Amino acid sequence: MTRGEEAALHAFVEGRRPALFRSAYLLCGNRDEAEDLVQTTLVKVVLGARRHGRLESLEAYARKTLVNTFISARRRFWRREHAYGEVPDVAGRQVDSDTGLMVRAALAGLAPKQRAVLVLRYWEDLSVAATAQVLGMRESTVKSHTARGLAALRAAVREEYA
Amino acid sequence: MNQEAETEYVRELLGRVVDEVQMPGSRGSETVFAKASRVRWRRRTAATGVAAAAVAAGLVLGPGVLDSTGHGASVASTPTAGEYTTKAGKFAKLLPPGTGKISEISLLRLFKQAPKAKQPKFFGPYDGDYAVGRPDGVGYISVHLTPRPAADAKTGGGGLRNPCQDSPKDGSIGCTTQKLSDGSLLGVWETPPTDPALHPIPAGGREFEAGLRLKDGRYLTVRASTGFQGKGQLGPLLKTPPLTRAQLTKLIQNPALLK
Protein backbone atom coordinates (compact mmCIF):
# COMPACT_ATOMS: atom_id res chain seq x y z
CA MET A 1 0.00 0.00 0.00
CA THR A 2 1.45 3.37 -0.97
CA ARG A 3 1.83 6.23 1.45
CA GLY A 4 -1.02 8.07 -0.25
CA GLU A 5 -3.33 5.09 0.02
CA GLU A 6 -2.41 4.67 3.67
CA ALA A 7 -3.20 8.34 4.28
CA ALA A 8 -6.53 7.92 2.49
CA LEU A 9 -7.28 4.93 4.69
CA HIS A 10 -6.56 6.97 7.82
CA ALA A 11 -8.76 9.76 6.55
CA PHE A 12 -11.54 7.29 5.83
CA VAL A 13 -11.38 5.75 9.29
CA GLU A 14 -11.38 9.15 10.91
CA GLY A 15 -14.07 10.67 8.76
CA ARG A 16 -16.46 7.79 8.33
CA ARG A 17 -16.72 6.77 11.97
CA PRO A 18 -19.66 9.07 12.91
CA ALA A 19 -21.75 7.94 9.94
CA LEU A 20 -20.99 4.30 10.64
CA PHE A 21 -21.90 4.84 14.27
CA ARG A 22 -25.33 6.18 13.34
CA SER A 23 -26.04 3.17 11.16
CA ALA A 24 -24.67 0.88 13.83
CA TYR A 25 -26.90 2.48 16.44
CA LEU A 26 -29.94 1.91 14.26
CA LEU A 27 -28.94 -1.71 13.92
CA CYS A 28 -28.00 -2.38 17.54
CA GLY A 29 -30.26 0.03 19.40
CA ASN A 30 -27.56 0.26 22.02
CA ARG A 31 -24.83 2.87 22.18
CA ASP A 32 -22.06 0.71 23.58
CA GLU A 33 -22.79 -2.16 21.29
CA ALA A 34 -22.89 0.21 18.34
CA GLU A 35 -19.53 1.65 19.29
CA ASP A 36 -18.01 -1.81 19.50
CA LEU A 37 -19.56 -2.76 16.18
CA VAL A 38 -18.04 0.29 14.51
CA GLN A 39 -14.66 -0.42 16.03
CA THR A 40 -14.74 -4.04 14.85
CA THR A 41 -15.90 -2.94 11.43
CA LEU A 42 -13.14 -0.38 11.03
CA VAL A 43 -10.49 -2.89 12.07
CA LYS A 44 -11.81 -5.31 9.48
CA VAL A 45 -11.84 -2.53 6.88
CA VAL A 46 -8.23 -1.64 7.60
CA LEU A 47 -7.19 -5.29 7.39
CA GLY A 48 -9.18 -5.79 4.21
CA ALA A 49 -7.86 -2.64 2.59
CA ARG A 50 -4.28 -3.54 3.35
CA ARG A 51 -4.75 -7.09 2.19
CA HIS A 52 -6.66 -6.44 -0.98
CA GLY A 53 -6.08 -2.78 -1.73
CA ARG A 54 -9.82 -2.11 -1.77
CA LEU A 55 -9.44 1.62 -1.57
CA GLU A 56 -11.79 2.29 -4.46
CA SER A 57 -14.69 0.55 -2.75
CA LEU A 58 -13.93 1.33 0.89
CA GLU A 59 -17.32 2.88 1.45
CA ALA A 60 -19.21 -0.15 0.18
CA TYR A 61 -16.81 -2.51 1.90
CA ALA A 62 -17.32 -0.77 5.23
CA ARG A 63 -21.11 -0.79 4.85
CA LYS A 64 -21.15 -4.45 3.97
CA THR A 65 -18.79 -5.32 6.80
CA LEU A 66 -20.89 -3.39 9.29
CA VAL A 67 -24.19 -5.09 8.53
CA ASN A 68 -22.72 -8.55 8.10
CA THR A 69 -20.74 -8.30 11.32
CA PHE A 70 -23.93 -7.21 13.05
CA ILE A 71 -25.99 -10.04 11.59
CA SER A 72 -23.41 -12.71 12.33
CA ALA A 73 -22.97 -11.45 15.89
CA ARG A 74 -26.74 -11.57 16.40
CA ARG A 75 -26.85 -15.05 15.00
CA ARG A 76 -24.18 -16.13 17.43
CA PHE A 77 -25.52 -14.39 20.49
CA TRP A 78 -29.21 -14.41 19.79
CA ARG A 79 -29.99 -15.57 23.28
CA ARG A 80 -28.44 -12.53 24.87
CA GLU A 81 -30.65 -10.02 26.60
CA HIS A 82 -30.51 -6.47 25.42
CA ALA A 83 -31.40 -3.31 27.23
CA TYR A 84 -33.84 -0.93 25.59
CA GLY A 85 -35.28 2.37 26.51
CA GLU A 86 -32.19 3.88 28.09
CA VAL A 87 -32.51 7.48 29.17
CA PRO A 88 -31.02 9.83 26.57
CA ASP A 89 -27.93 11.63 27.78
CA VAL A 90 -29.19 14.97 26.56
CA ALA A 91 -32.61 16.47 26.84
CA GLY A 92 -34.35 16.56 23.50
CA ARG A 93 -37.67 17.60 22.12
CA GLN A 94 -40.17 15.51 24.01
CA VAL A 95 -42.25 14.37 21.07
CA ASP A 96 -39.22 13.55 18.95
CA SER A 97 -37.60 11.67 21.80
CA ASP A 98 -40.74 9.61 22.33
CA THR A 99 -40.96 8.91 18.64
CA GLY A 100 -37.34 7.90 18.65
CA LEU A 101 -37.90 5.47 21.49
CA MET A 102 -40.95 4.00 19.80
CA VAL A 103 -39.14 3.59 16.51
CA ARG A 104 -36.15 2.10 18.27
CA ALA A 105 -38.40 -0.37 20.07
CA ALA A 106 -40.04 -1.24 16.76
CA LEU A 107 -36.64 -1.82 15.17
CA ALA A 108 -35.63 -3.97 18.11
CA GLY A 109 -38.64 -6.16 17.50
CA LEU A 110 -37.49 -6.93 13.98
CA ALA A 111 -35.20 -9.74 12.97
CA PRO A 112 -31.60 -8.58 12.43
CA LYS A 113 -31.83 -8.99 8.67
CA GLN A 114 -35.07 -7.02 8.50
CA ARG A 115 -33.47 -4.28 10.53
CA ALA A 116 -30.43 -4.31 8.26
CA VAL A 117 -32.67 -4.02 5.21
CA LEU A 118 -34.48 -0.99 6.62
CA VAL A 119 -31.25 0.72 7.57
CA LEU A 120 -29.66 0.11 4.19
CA ARG A 121 -32.74 1.01 2.18
CA TYR A 122 -33.91 4.09 4.08
CA TRP A 123 -30.94 5.37 6.06
CA GLU A 124 -28.11 4.52 3.70
CA ASP A 125 -30.44 5.17 0.77
CA LEU A 126 -29.50 2.06 -1.19
CA SER A 127 -31.65 0.60 -3.92
CA VAL A 128 -33.30 -2.77 -3.57
CA ALA A 129 -30.67 -4.30 -5.84
CA ALA A 130 -27.77 -2.75 -3.94
CA THR A 131 -29.24 -3.84 -0.61
CA ALA A 132 -29.66 -7.36 -1.90
CA GLN A 133 -26.06 -7.37 -3.00
CA VAL A 134 -24.74 -6.12 0.34
CA LEU A 135 -26.74 -8.67 2.29
CA GLY A 136 -26.32 -11.50 -0.16
CA MET A 137 -30.02 -12.12 -0.55
CA ARG A 138 -32.53 -12.03 -3.38
CA GLU A 139 -34.27 -8.80 -4.27
CA SER A 140 -37.62 -10.37 -3.51
CA THR A 141 -36.39 -11.14 -0.01
CA VAL A 142 -35.29 -7.55 0.43
CA LYS A 143 -38.74 -6.40 -0.62
CA SER A 144 -40.52 -8.70 1.80
CA HIS A 145 -38.21 -7.69 4.65
CA THR A 146 -38.84 -4.06 3.76
CA ALA A 147 -42.60 -4.54 3.81
CA ARG A 148 -42.53 -6.23 7.21
CA GLY A 149 -40.18 -3.65 8.63
CA LEU A 150 -42.29 -0.75 7.40
CA ALA A 151 -45.41 -2.35 8.79
CA ALA A 152 -43.77 -2.56 12.22
CA LEU A 153 -42.68 1.07 12.04
CA ARG A 154 -46.12 2.23 10.98
CA ALA A 155 -47.70 0.31 13.83
CA ALA A 156 -45.30 1.84 16.33
CA VAL A 157 -45.91 5.38 15.18
CA ARG A 158 -49.67 4.85 14.97
CA GLU A 159 -49.68 3.62 18.57
CA GLU A 160 -47.81 6.68 19.69
CA TYR A 161 -50.31 9.12 18.31
CA ALA A 162 -53.38 7.02 19.01
CA MET B 1 -48.29 8.06 0.51
CA ASN B 2 -46.17 7.73 -2.61
CA GLN B 3 -42.89 5.92 -2.51
CA GLU B 4 -40.74 9.01 -2.44
CA ALA B 5 -42.69 10.53 0.42
CA GLU B 6 -42.62 7.25 2.30
CA THR B 7 -38.88 6.98 1.89
CA GLU B 8 -38.47 10.47 3.25
CA TYR B 9 -40.84 9.77 6.15
CA VAL B 10 -39.07 6.55 7.17
CA ARG B 11 -35.74 8.27 6.93
CA GLU B 12 -37.02 10.97 9.24
CA LEU B 13 -38.23 8.38 11.73
CA LEU B 14 -34.86 6.68 11.70
CA GLY B 15 -33.26 10.08 12.05
CA ARG B 16 -35.15 10.62 15.32
CA VAL B 17 -33.64 7.42 16.71
CA VAL B 18 -30.20 8.62 15.77
CA ASP B 19 -30.87 12.10 17.13
CA GLU B 20 -31.44 10.77 20.61
CA VAL B 21 -28.03 9.19 20.95
CA GLN B 22 -24.94 11.07 21.88
CA MET B 23 -21.96 10.38 19.69
CA PRO B 24 -19.37 8.42 21.65
CA GLY B 25 -16.12 10.07 22.53
CA SER B 26 -13.77 9.26 19.69
CA ARG B 27 -11.52 6.34 20.45
CA GLY B 28 -9.33 7.81 17.75
CA SER B 29 -8.35 6.17 14.54
CA GLU B 30 -5.07 5.11 16.11
CA THR B 31 -6.81 2.48 18.20
CA VAL B 32 -8.25 1.02 15.02
CA PHE B 33 -4.87 0.85 13.34
CA ALA B 34 -3.21 -0.46 16.47
CA LYS B 35 -5.78 -3.22 16.72
CA ALA B 36 -5.42 -3.98 13.02
CA SER B 37 -1.65 -4.17 13.39
CA ARG B 38 -2.02 -6.50 16.28
CA VAL B 39 -4.45 -8.75 14.43
CA ARG B 40 -2.19 -8.79 11.41
CA TRP B 41 0.83 -9.52 13.54
CA ARG B 42 -0.99 -12.36 15.22
CA ARG B 43 -2.10 -13.81 11.93
CA ARG B 44 1.41 -13.63 10.58
CA THR B 45 3.04 -15.05 13.60
CA ALA B 46 0.46 -17.48 14.85
CA ALA B 47 2.57 -20.51 14.56
CA THR B 48 4.94 -21.98 17.04
CA GLY B 49 6.26 -25.28 18.10
CA VAL B 50 8.64 -27.42 19.96
CA ALA B 51 9.08 -31.12 20.46
CA ALA B 52 6.34 -31.97 18.03
CA ALA B 53 7.27 -28.55 16.91
CA ALA B 54 10.86 -29.47 16.75
CA VAL B 55 10.05 -31.96 14.04
CA ALA B 56 7.93 -29.45 12.22
CA ALA B 57 10.58 -26.79 12.58
CA GLY B 58 13.11 -29.13 11.14
CA LEU B 59 10.83 -29.83 8.23
CA VAL B 60 9.70 -26.32 7.56
CA LEU B 61 12.79 -24.38 8.39
CA GLY B 62 15.36 -26.83 7.30
CA PRO B 63 18.61 -27.64 9.02
CA GLY B 64 20.40 -25.15 11.16
CA VAL B 65 17.44 -23.99 13.19
CA LEU B 66 17.76 -26.70 15.76
CA ASP B 67 20.91 -28.22 17.09
CA SER B 68 22.42 -31.26 15.50
CA THR B 69 20.48 -33.67 17.67
CA GLY B 70 17.20 -32.33 16.42
CA HIS B 71 16.22 -31.35 19.95
CA GLY B 72 15.83 -27.95 21.46
CA ALA B 73 17.41 -26.82 24.64
CA SER B 74 15.55 -27.60 27.78
CA VAL B 75 15.93 -25.57 30.87
CA ALA B 76 14.21 -28.31 32.78
CA SER B 77 16.91 -30.83 32.14
CA THR B 78 20.64 -30.74 32.45
CA PRO B 79 21.87 -29.04 29.33
CA THR B 80 24.50 -30.57 27.16
CA ALA B 81 27.42 -28.68 25.77
CA GLY B 82 25.68 -28.55 22.42
CA GLU B 83 22.66 -26.87 23.90
CA TYR B 84 24.80 -24.04 25.23
CA THR B 85 26.31 -23.39 21.85
CA THR B 86 23.04 -22.78 20.01
CA LYS B 87 21.19 -19.51 20.20
CA ALA B 88 18.19 -21.33 21.68
CA GLY B 89 20.45 -22.99 24.22
CA LYS B 90 21.96 -19.68 25.24
CA PHE B 91 18.57 -18.08 25.41
CA ALA B 92 17.28 -20.94 27.53
CA LYS B 93 20.00 -20.11 30.05
CA LEU B 94 18.44 -16.69 30.53
CA LEU B 95 15.08 -18.22 31.44
CA PRO B 96 14.01 -19.44 34.85
CA PRO B 97 14.29 -23.17 35.49
CA GLY B 98 11.28 -25.18 34.42
CA THR B 99 10.21 -22.84 31.67
CA GLY B 100 10.05 -25.69 29.18
CA LYS B 101 11.84 -26.97 26.13
CA ILE B 102 13.18 -24.10 24.08
CA SER B 103 13.67 -24.19 20.32
CA GLU B 104 14.36 -21.35 17.98
CA ILE B 105 11.75 -21.09 15.30
CA SER B 106 10.54 -18.54 12.80
CA LEU B 107 6.91 -17.73 13.41
CA LEU B 108 6.85 -15.85 10.14
CA ARG B 109 8.05 -18.81 8.13
CA LEU B 110 5.88 -21.28 9.97
CA PHE B 111 2.83 -19.13 9.60
CA LYS B 112 3.44 -18.55 5.92
CA GLN B 113 4.41 -22.19 5.50
CA ALA B 114 7.27 -20.80 3.51
CA PRO B 115 10.69 -22.07 4.60
CA LYS B 116 12.48 -19.40 2.58
CA ALA B 117 10.38 -16.39 3.52
CA LYS B 118 12.58 -13.39 4.19
CA GLN B 119 13.28 -12.96 7.87
CA PRO B 120 13.16 -9.57 9.54
CA LYS B 121 16.54 -8.15 10.41
CA PHE B 122 17.66 -8.96 13.92
CA PHE B 123 19.35 -6.25 15.96
CA GLY B 124 19.69 -7.94 19.31
CA PRO B 125 21.69 -11.10 20.05
CA TYR B 126 18.58 -13.01 21.07
CA ASP B 127 16.10 -11.45 18.69
CA GLY B 128 13.75 -14.04 17.28
CA ASP B 129 11.02 -16.46 18.17
CA TYR B 130 11.35 -19.37 20.53
CA ALA B 131 8.90 -22.21 20.94
CA VAL B 132 8.31 -23.34 24.49
CA GLY B 133 7.26 -26.96 24.82
CA ARG B 134 5.58 -28.25 27.92
CA PRO B 135 3.59 -31.39 28.60
CA ASP B 136 0.35 -29.43 28.32
CA GLY B 137 1.09 -27.68 25.05
CA VAL B 138 3.21 -25.30 23.06
CA GLY B 139 3.68 -21.60 23.70
CA TYR B 140 6.28 -19.16 22.51
CA ILE B 141 8.50 -16.31 23.53
CA SER B 142 9.44 -13.60 21.07
CA VAL B 143 12.23 -11.09 21.51
CA HIS B 144 12.62 -8.05 19.31
CA LEU B 145 14.94 -5.08 19.61
CA THR B 146 14.06 -2.04 17.55
CA PRO B 147 16.91 0.38 16.83
CA ARG B 148 16.41 4.06 17.48
CA PRO B 149 15.72 5.20 13.89
CA ALA B 150 12.98 2.62 13.46
CA ALA B 151 11.55 3.36 16.90
CA ASP B 152 11.56 7.07 16.12
CA ALA B 153 9.82 6.43 12.83
CA LYS B 154 7.04 4.58 14.61
CA THR B 155 6.58 7.08 17.41
CA GLY B 156 7.23 10.23 15.44
CA GLY B 157 10.59 10.77 17.07
CA GLY B 158 9.06 11.87 20.32
CA GLY B 159 11.81 10.34 22.40
CA LEU B 160 11.17 8.43 25.58
CA ARG B 161 7.48 7.67 25.93
CA ASN B 162 5.25 5.52 27.99
CA PRO B 163 5.25 2.00 26.50
CA CYS B 164 1.67 1.57 27.68
CA GLN B 165 0.65 4.38 25.36
CA ASP B 166 2.82 3.52 22.38
CA SER B 167 2.21 -0.20 22.19
CA PRO B 168 -0.68 -1.75 20.30
CA LYS B 169 -2.50 -2.39 23.50
CA ASP B 170 -6.10 -2.32 22.39
CA GLY B 171 -7.79 -4.91 24.56
CA SER B 172 -4.80 -5.27 26.84
CA ILE B 173 -5.22 -5.60 30.57
CA GLY B 174 -3.39 -4.07 33.46
CA CYS B 175 -0.61 -2.21 31.70
CA THR B 176 1.80 -0.90 34.29
CA THR B 177 4.87 1.23 33.79
CA GLN B 178 7.89 1.88 35.87
CA LYS B 179 10.96 4.00 35.44
CA LEU B 180 14.12 2.00 35.93
CA SER B 181 17.23 3.25 37.67
CA ASP B 182 19.03 3.77 34.34
CA GLY B 183 16.22 6.02 33.11
CA SER B 184 14.55 3.44 30.87
CA LEU B 185 10.78 3.06 30.87
CA LEU B 186 9.32 -0.40 31.29
CA GLY B 187 5.75 -1.35 30.48
CA VAL B 188 4.20 -4.75 31.15
CA TRP B 189 0.70 -5.82 30.22
CA GLU B 190 -1.47 -8.83 29.56
CA THR B 191 -3.36 -9.51 26.38
CA PRO B 192 -6.43 -11.73 26.65
CA PRO B 193 -7.14 -14.46 24.10
CA THR B 194 -7.98 -13.21 20.64
CA ASP B 195 -11.59 -12.34 19.96
CA PRO B 196 -12.74 -15.20 17.73
CA ALA B 197 -15.29 -12.91 16.09
CA LEU B 198 -12.51 -10.68 14.84
CA HIS B 199 -9.99 -13.24 13.74
CA PRO B 200 -11.28 -16.76 14.08
CA ILE B 201 -8.24 -18.46 12.61
CA PRO B 202 -5.62 -18.50 13.88
CA ALA B 203 -6.67 -17.33 17.30
CA GLY B 204 -3.93 -16.31 19.69
CA GLY B 205 -4.03 -17.31 23.32
CA ARG B 206 -3.45 -15.28 26.41
CA GLU B 207 -0.06 -13.63 26.68
CA PHE B 208 2.10 -11.31 28.68
CA GLU B 209 4.04 -8.65 26.88
CA ALA B 210 6.71 -6.26 28.03
CA GLY B 211 8.15 -3.20 26.31
CA LEU B 212 11.31 -1.48 27.42
CA ARG B 213 12.00 1.97 26.04
CA LEU B 214 15.68 2.49 26.55
CA LYS B 215 17.23 5.83 27.26
CA ASP B 216 19.26 5.63 24.05
CA GLY B 217 16.06 5.45 22.02
CA ARG B 218 15.98 1.72 21.30
CA TYR B 219 12.89 -0.30 22.10
CA LEU B 220 12.94 -3.88 23.30
CA THR B 221 9.86 -6.07 23.39
CA VAL B 222 9.41 -9.56 24.78
CA ARG B 223 6.20 -11.55 24.45
CA ALA B 224 5.32 -14.70 26.31
CA SER B 225 2.29 -16.33 24.74
CA THR B 226 0.30 -19.44 25.49
CA GLY B 227 0.29 -20.17 21.75
CA PHE B 228 -2.39 -20.09 19.12
CA GLN B 229 -5.21 -22.15 17.72
CA GLY B 230 -5.83 -22.68 14.06
CA LYS B 231 -4.16 -23.91 10.94
CA GLY B 232 -0.56 -24.80 11.57
CA GLN B 233 -1.12 -25.25 15.25
CA LEU B 234 1.65 -27.40 16.60
CA GLY B 235 0.23 -28.11 19.99
CA PRO B 236 -2.53 -27.08 22.33
CA LEU B 237 -2.40 -23.76 24.11
CA LEU B 238 -0.43 -23.71 27.31
CA LYS B 239 -2.58 -23.29 30.39
CA THR B 240 -0.53 -20.26 31.38
CA PRO B 241 1.96 -18.09 29.49
CA PRO B 242 5.46 -19.59 29.52
CA LEU B 243 6.67 -16.78 31.76
CA THR B 244 4.85 -15.13 34.61
CA ARG B 245 4.55 -11.39 34.66
CA ALA B 246 7.35 -11.20 37.21
CA GLN B 247 9.59 -13.53 35.20
CA LEU B 248 8.96 -11.52 32.05
CA THR B 249 9.74 -8.30 33.89
CA LYS B 250 13.03 -9.79 35.03
CA LEU B 251 13.92 -11.22 31.62
CA ILE B 252 13.41 -8.00 29.68
CA GLN B 253 15.80 -6.24 32.05
CA ASN B 254 18.53 -8.76 31.36
CA PRO B 255 21.30 -6.80 29.61
CA ALA B 256 22.23 -9.92 27.63
CA LEU B 257 19.26 -9.24 25.36
CA LEU B 258 20.90 -6.01 24.24
CA LYS B 259 24.57 -6.88 23.89
Side-chain angles (χ1 to χ4, degrees):
Chain A
M1 189 174 260
T2 66
R3 190 170 290 185
E5 288 171 332
E6 190 69 29
L9 186 60
H10 272 81
F12 177 86
V13 168
E14 196 65 47
R16 184 65 180 147
R17 185 192 288 268
L20 282 174
F21 175 77
R22 289 186 199 101
S23 295
Y25 184 69
L26 287 171
L27 291 169
C28 301
N30 176 291
R31 187 171 176 269
D32 294 334
E33 207 182 321
E35 198 179 351
D36 286 345
L37 176 61
V38 170
Q39 187 79 357
T40 302
T41 298
L42 288 173
V43 170
K44 286 182 176 179
V45 167
V46 169
L47 289 168
R50 285 179 173 166
R51 191 167 58 244
H52 303 300
R54 294 183 202 240
L55 280 176
E56 289 163 16
S57 56
L58 263 188
E59 183 78 33
Y61 187 61
R63 188 184 295 127
K64 186 169 186 167
T65 303
L66 183 85
V67 291
N68 287 324
T69 302
F70 164 73
I71 290 169
S72 71
R74 283 301 157 122
R75 193 181 296 133
R76 202 175 304 123
F77 302 120
W78 68 278
R79 286 178 189 276
R80 282 189 179 176
E81 289 181 22
H82 298 284
Y84 297 114
E86 65 189 21
V87 180
D89 292 332
V90 288
R93 290 166 296 170
Q94 190 57 43
V95 173
D96 282 1
S97 180
D98 286 348
T99 307
L101 286 173
M102 296 296 283
V103 173
R104 187 148 61 99
L107 286 174
L110 297 174
K113 283 187 180 175
Q114 290 174 343
R115 226 177 303 168
V117 165
L118 281 191
V119 171
L120 290 175
R121 288 276 289 112
Y122 294 99
W123 184 251
E124 297 278 350
D125 212 17
L126 295 190
S127 66
V128 171
T131 303
Q133 197 190 0
V134 168
L135 293 171
M137 57 176 64
R138 286 180 301 182
E139 291 187 21
S140 58
T141 312
V142 170
K143 286 176 183 171
S144 64
H145 281 333
T146 305
R148 288 195 196 109
L150 287 180
L153 282 186
R154 280 192 208 104
V157 177
R158 204 177 297 132
E159 273 177 30
E160 186 199 5
Y161 291 108
Chain B
M1 195 182 286
N2 65 34
Q3 197 174 347
E4 199 174 318
E6 184 177 60
T7 300
E8 195 53 44
Y9 180 61
V10 174
R11 187 178 167 81
E12 192 190 325
L13 287 178
L14 296 178
R16 290 184 185 180
V17 175
V18 172
D19 282 348
E20 77 181 18
V21 68
Q22 218 175 14
M23 289 296 287
S26 175
R27 294 186 186 180
S29 61
E30 289 316 309
T31 60
V32 171
F33 285 90
K35 180 75 178 175
S37 298
R38 186 163 194 84
V39 172
R40 198 171 170 212
W41 193 90
R42 275 182 184 275
R43 284 178 178 171
R44 279 211 312 243
T45 59
T48 152
V50 213
V55 177
L59 291 173
V60 177
L61 305 176
V65 173
L66 303 174
D67 63 12
S68 58
T69 64
H71 300 291
S74 171
V75 293
S77 59
T78 307
T80 64
E83 285 173 342
Y84 283 149
T85 61
T86 64
K87 186 174 165 188
K90 290 175 184 171
F91 181 68
K93 281 182 69 182
L94 306 178
L95 303 174
T99 299
K101 194 157 188 160
I102 308 299
S103 299
E104 188 185 6
I105 57 166
S106 166
L107 292 171
L108 181 68
R109 289 177 178 177
L110 283 171
F111 180 69
K112 286 190 170 182
Q113 300 284 296
K116 293 182 180 175
K118 193 179 177 187
Q119 285 278 70
K121 194 173 178 184
F122 291 150
F123 295 96
Y126 292 103
D127 275 13
D129 307 313
Y130 303 88
V132 181
R134 287 181 180 173
D136 61 327
V138 177
Y140 61 83
I141 298 173
S142 292
V143 180
H144 185 63
L145 180 64
T146 306
R148 179 167 192 162
D152 283 349
K154 281 186 178 178
T155 60
L160 211 58
R161 290 188 191 182
N162 185 341
C164 283
Q165 289 171 0
D166 287 350
S167 300
K169 63 179 183 63
D170 196 25
S172 67
I173 300 168
C175 189
T176 56
T177 53
Q178 60 174 303
K179 191 165 188 176
L180 305 181
S181 55
D182 64 354
S184 305
L185 279 178
L186 171 65
V188 184
W189 58 93
E190 177 185 342
T191 304
T194 307
D195 177 3
L198 246 185
H199 22 74
I201 296 174
R206 178 179 168 232
E207 66 180 55
F208 289 125
E209 188 167 358
L212 182 62
R213 194 162 290 286
L214 299 156
K215 211 174 176 184
D216 62 10
R218 291 180 296 167
Y219 188 59
L220 176 67
T221 56
V222 182
R223 298 174 63 219
S225 168
T226 52
F228 74 100
Q229 291 177 305
K231 190 179 177 185
Q233 180 180 3
L234 296 167
L237 297 180
L238 296 179
K239 289 187 176 70
T240 57
L243 297 174
T244 65
R245 210 176 156 116
Q247 288 169 338
L248 180 64
T249 303
K250 188 176 176 188
L251 174 65
I252 199 170
Q253 295 180 64
N254 192 326
L257 298 181
L258 302 170
K259 283 173 187 169

